[in-house]
């Protein structure tokens, strides 16, 4: 019997299926070791056959099985075919997407695991090792390909003696992996609500339908309750469910709601898990111990069988589109799996993306609306404050009078307030007033952000830290100007204004530790009165009944991000943040500070008029020929060599230009330019932007041009990108 094998080498030259002689018990979906060009590599059996077109004298045998039970199930294998066809991925990349690295490189069971990696460059290693130590050579070649690998697995493959010799020679390092198993599993008391009429109707329409639904419901309209009821029904029928949420809404609150509704049946997958935890959760799903998967984007690949429903909550969230290779889009993958299992796919949001709502209007999706909050409470009133008036009145602080008045009232009533500012740190830059010097990152073309607590300047793109400026390094002046304020500064100012009120801060800096996120939230929820200051992190997934005031300090930040989604994104953000208020009381209040009080985004947002906003926005998109009436595709080219990046960009552009003749009149815009941020982590960045009438053939041509150009540069193609930095 012959096994058709995809080798685990991410390289176009070997992006094919290779035939090997299998064992009697070789099965489709197994990981195997195979000889490959004088090396031993891991591969995946994707099919078996009685025949082969290979030369029988040359065909080699599989060395050994790495699994007794195939890791790739039938549906997941079909999914990889879909990924290859739909996103033009290499076969090995498609498999890497569906099998997390902790599973591909297994051995996570053992308590004492070590990770080894190459610590010298490959040429040095080859020269030092010499030609005769074949196993050692293979091992370093393997490592340079893989980055790092499990110690025991490497010993299995290349012999313990060779691996230890390499460690002794200082070619590779061996480090113990710390184990932190058992992700947090909290339970709240189980609440089984009697569904409202609109909730029951929604459930009835969706149940067991092989269709895609858009569940459009205001914040607090009981969407999550609808999801859980449908999941419950699926479980009763012996089926399973995947529920996807944006990474930042995967809050302890959300997890405990699921854990208490579906005790010991929920597996959670998110980026905060240790490798071991992720492996364990994956195994629980794989063997059928968990029937509900709750997770961020990549949980859409969970090895769960017999799906009864897939849910994408906050479907408009930008985290559903992968921002690095291999490219994929969660909606499309979910759609594939829902159709494969003949089950419903539910896209839920209070502020659906324009593209999704457009599909619902065209009848491609089925629209279901939940227009009211469950408890009949009004949405909190949003008051728009023109900051220009404040400045004219002599108020140059970040807080307008109405904001302070409302905050004071909220505190007097012993309630809680949330203040939203989408910028972390103390000030967005430091600059010399005398000579104009601005502190920038050595490796990135961006200003450094001042973090007062740490007395540091930090690069928010690469993480590099620098000492804060006390004087200008260029002219020695001590007259330093601070940029726009961030969360740290807001907290500092608030402490002066409200010295006796506990103030909590939630942003990337305060949520580093494993349970930091949860700790901040549970302290906040237990403290009254109190104020929570935070970035986008506070905008989602929280349901704190005593929040009666929400302040949006600088809404314009996202409005002036000049890409086609900035209006849409601002509308969504304002609605989400405002939605945190008034879950118990009717007189909750929101203050939105802006310098553009008449902007239609704010007008519609303050009236909770999604449909009004949609109509206006979609008309604008139609007249200016933007998505969904066109596609925008960006090819991002980056390299440490500026010239190489530039030349490659030119080369790709030339090829793309030919598509203009191939698809006359369909390509509206096609241009190359430096990216808005010209350098990140020492890599120069260029982009080709194109806008064309929606046509999958054109998309695939662009994909294949970008994939075909092989240079020492990294190339990333994005369709309708969420940001263009
Ligand atoms: P959404 O997901 O639309 O924001 P949730 O499902 O989180 O809404 O519901 C908002 C709040 O209302 C939650 O506290 C939830 O427990 C409660 N809730 C939901 N449905 C009902 C119901 N039918 N009866 C009473 N309370 C409900
Ligand atoms: Zn200076
Ligand atoms: Zn940097």
């Amino acid at each position: 019997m012959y096994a058709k094998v995809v080798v685990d080498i991410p390289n176009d030259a070997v992006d094919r299926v290779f035939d090997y002689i299998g064992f009697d018990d070789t099965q489709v979906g197994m990981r195997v070791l195979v000889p490959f060009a004088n090396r031993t590599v891991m591969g995946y059996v994707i099919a078996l056959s009685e025949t082969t077109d290979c030369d029988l004298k040359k065909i080699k045998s599989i060395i050994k099985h790495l699994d007794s039970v195939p890791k790739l199930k039938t549906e997941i294998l079909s999914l990889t075919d879909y990924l290859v066809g739909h996103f033009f991925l290499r076969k090995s990349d498609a498999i890497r997407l569906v099998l997390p690295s902790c599973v591909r490189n297994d051995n996570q069971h053992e308590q004492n695991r070590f990770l080894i990696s190459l610590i010298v460059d490959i040429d040095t290693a080859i020269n030092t090792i010499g030609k005769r130590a074949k196993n050692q050579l293979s091992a370093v070649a393997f490592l340079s390909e893989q980055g790092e690998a499990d110690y025991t697995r490497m010993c299995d493959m290349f012999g313990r003696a060779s691996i230890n010799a390499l460690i002794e020679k200082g070619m590779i390092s061996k480090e113990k992996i710390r184990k932190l198993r058992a992700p947090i599993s909290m339970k709240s008391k189980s609440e089984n609500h009697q569904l409202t009429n609109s909730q029951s109707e929604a459930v009835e329409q969706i149940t067991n339908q092989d269709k895609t639904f858009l569940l459009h419901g205001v914040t607090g309209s009981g969407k999550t309750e609808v999801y859980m009821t449908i999941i419950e029904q699926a479980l009763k029928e012996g089926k399973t469910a995947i529920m996807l949420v944006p990474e930042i809404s995967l809050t302890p609150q959300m997890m405990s709601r699921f854990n208490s509704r579906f005790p010991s049946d929920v597996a959670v997958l998110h980026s905060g898990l240790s490798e071991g935890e992720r492996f364990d959760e994956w195994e629980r799903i794989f063997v059928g111990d968990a029937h509900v998967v709750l997770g961020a984007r990549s949980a859409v690949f969970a090895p769960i069988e017999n799906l009864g429903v897939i849910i994408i909550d906050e479907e408009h969230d930008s985290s559903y589109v992968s921002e690095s290779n291999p490219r994929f889009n969660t909606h499309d993958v979910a759609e594939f799996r829902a159709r494969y299992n003949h089950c419903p796919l539910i896209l839920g949001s209070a502020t659906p993306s324009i593209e999704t709502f457009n599909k619902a209007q065209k009848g491609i999706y089925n629209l279901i609306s939940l227009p009211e909050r469950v408890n009949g409470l009004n949405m909190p009133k949003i008051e728009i404050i023109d900051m220009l008036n404040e400045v004219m009145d002599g108020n140059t602080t970040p807080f307008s009078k109405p904001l302070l008045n409302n905050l004071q009232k909220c505190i007097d009533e012993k309630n809680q307030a949330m203040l939203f500012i989408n910028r972390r740190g103390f000030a967005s830059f430091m600059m010399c007033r005398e000579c104009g010097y601005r502190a920038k990152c050595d490796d990135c073309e961006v200003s450094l952000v001042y973090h007062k607590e740490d007395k540091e300047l930090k690069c928010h793109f690469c993480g590099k830290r620098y000492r804060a400026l006390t004087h200008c390094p260029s002219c020695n002046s001590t007259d330093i100007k601070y940029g726009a304020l961030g969360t740290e500064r807001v907290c500092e100012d608030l402490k002066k204004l409200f010295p006796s009120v506990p103030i909590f801060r939630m942003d990337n800096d305060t949520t580093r530790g494993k349970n930091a996120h949860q700790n901040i939230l549970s302290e906040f929820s237990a403290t009254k009165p109190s104020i929570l200051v935070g970035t986008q992190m506070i905008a989602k997934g929280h349901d704190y009944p005593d929040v009666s005031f929400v302040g949006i300090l600088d809404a314009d930040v996202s409005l002036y991000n000049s890409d086609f989604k900035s209006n849409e994104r601002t509308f969504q953000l304002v609605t989400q943040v405002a939605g945190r208020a008034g879950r118990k009381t009717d007189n909750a209040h929101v203050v939105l500070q802006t310098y553009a009080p008449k902007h239609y985004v704010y007008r519609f947002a303050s009236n909770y008029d999604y449909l009004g906003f949609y109509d206006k926005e979609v008309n604008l998109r139609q007249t200016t020929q933007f998505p969904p009436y066109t596609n925008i595709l960006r090819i991002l080219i980056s390299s440490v060599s500026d010239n190489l990046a530039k030349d490659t960009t030119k080369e790709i552009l030339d090829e793309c230009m030919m598509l203009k003749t191939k698809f006359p009149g369909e390509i509206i815009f096609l241009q190359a330019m430096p990216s808005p941020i010209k350098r990140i982590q020492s890599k120069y960045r260029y982009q080709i932007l194109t806008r064309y009438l929606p046509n999958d053939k054109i998309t695939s041509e662009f994909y294949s041009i970008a994939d075909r150009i092989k240079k020492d540069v990294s190339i990333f193609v994005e369709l309708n990108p969420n940001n263009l930095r």
Side-chain angles (χ1 to χ4, degrees), residues 191 193-196 199 220-225 257 374 543:
E191 293 178 1
H193 298 297
Q194 178 79 34
L195 293 189
T196 62
Q199 282 175 323
S221 60
K223 295 183 293 295
T224 312
E225 213 58 41
R257 240 170 126 177
V374 264
D543 191 11

Side-chain angles (χ1 to χ4, degrees), residues 79 82-83 86-87 212-214 244 246 297-298 300-301 310-322 328-339 345-349 351-357 359 365 565 568 722:
L79 178 58
Y82 167 79
L83 292 170
H86 190 73
F87 298 107
T212 300
F213 295 89
L214 170 58
L244 303 171
R297 170 175 84 207
S298 57
V300 75
F301 300 116
I310 305 178
I311 296 149
I312 304 183
D313 189 31
E314 312 275 13
E315 70 84 28
H316 61 275
D317 195 90
S318 59
S319 70
Y320 288 122
V321 183
S322 143
F328 75 94
N329 162 336
T330 312
H331 286 61
D332 293 358
V333 177
E335 183 103 35
F336 173 86
R337 295 196 72 178
R339 296 300 82 86
L345 166 63
I346 311 174
L347 310 174
S349 176
T351 50
S353 72
I354 296 289
E355 191 185 352
T356 298
F357 203 82
K359 282 189 180 162
Y365 296 157
K565 282 187 188 173
E568 179 180 354
N722 280 307

Side-chain angles (χ1 to χ4, degrees), residues 18 27 34 110 152 203 234 268 276 284 292 294 321 334 347 386 397 412 427 440 483 490 545 599 688 694:
F18 296 91
Q27 294 175 53
V34 292
E110 294 152 41
T152 16
V203 169
V268 182
R284 284 180 59 222
V292 181
L294 176 62
V321 183
L347 310 174
D386 186 348
T397 75
D412 291 344
K440 285 194 169 172
V490 171
H599 200 293
I688 293 168

